[in-house]
Amino acid sequence: MAEANGKKYFLGQDDQELRACLGTFPVNNPTGWHSGCVSAGTREGEILKTYGPDQEASILVTDGYDTKELEQSGWTKIHENILVSDG
């Protein structure tokens, strides 16, 4: 879905849209990949936050979520649904 800071970000969802997953793959350090999944249901806003071994965090948000507050607090939006932080 997106690529930033030497990492590729992948999103997944089941057929009923009840479970969402976010995977992070560091291109230069394949063993540092990490992912997280959550039952999405009808949640709005921040769905999932993951942390990698390099302490970088990623947030998965719902479509159309206003991310201004997150961006003002230091998160970087790299995709409509993905924000990252350096820790």
Side-chain angles (χ1 to χ4, degrees):
M1 296 303 294
E3 190 168 346
N5 304 323
K7 296 178 177 75
K8 294 184 179 186
Y9 298 84
F10 300 88
L11 299 177
Q13 184 173 43
D14 69 355
D15 291 341
Q16 291 88 26
E17 299 182 5
L18 298 175
R19 190 163 178 85
C21 298
L22 172 62
T24 303
F25 181 81
V27 176
N28 293 327
N29 181 18
T31 60
W33 72 272
H34 59 280
S35 64
C37 295
V38 66
S39 296
T42 58
R43 278 166 91 175
E44 292 190 20
E46 293 182 37
I47 298 173
L48 170 67
K49 188 182 287 185
T50 65
Y51 296 90
D54 61 359
Q55 300 304 308
E56 180 192 81
S58 306
I59 296 179
L60 175 62
V61 299
T62 55
D63 290 344
Y65 180 64
D66 183 359
T67 60
K68 287 179 189 171
E69 266 189 50
L70 290 169
E71 292 175 79
Q72 289 173 348
S73 67
W75 292 88
T76 302
K77 189 173 193 173
I78 60 167
H79 178 274
E80 176 186 347
N81 301 95
I82 304 170
L83 293 96
V84 297
S85 173
D86 288 334

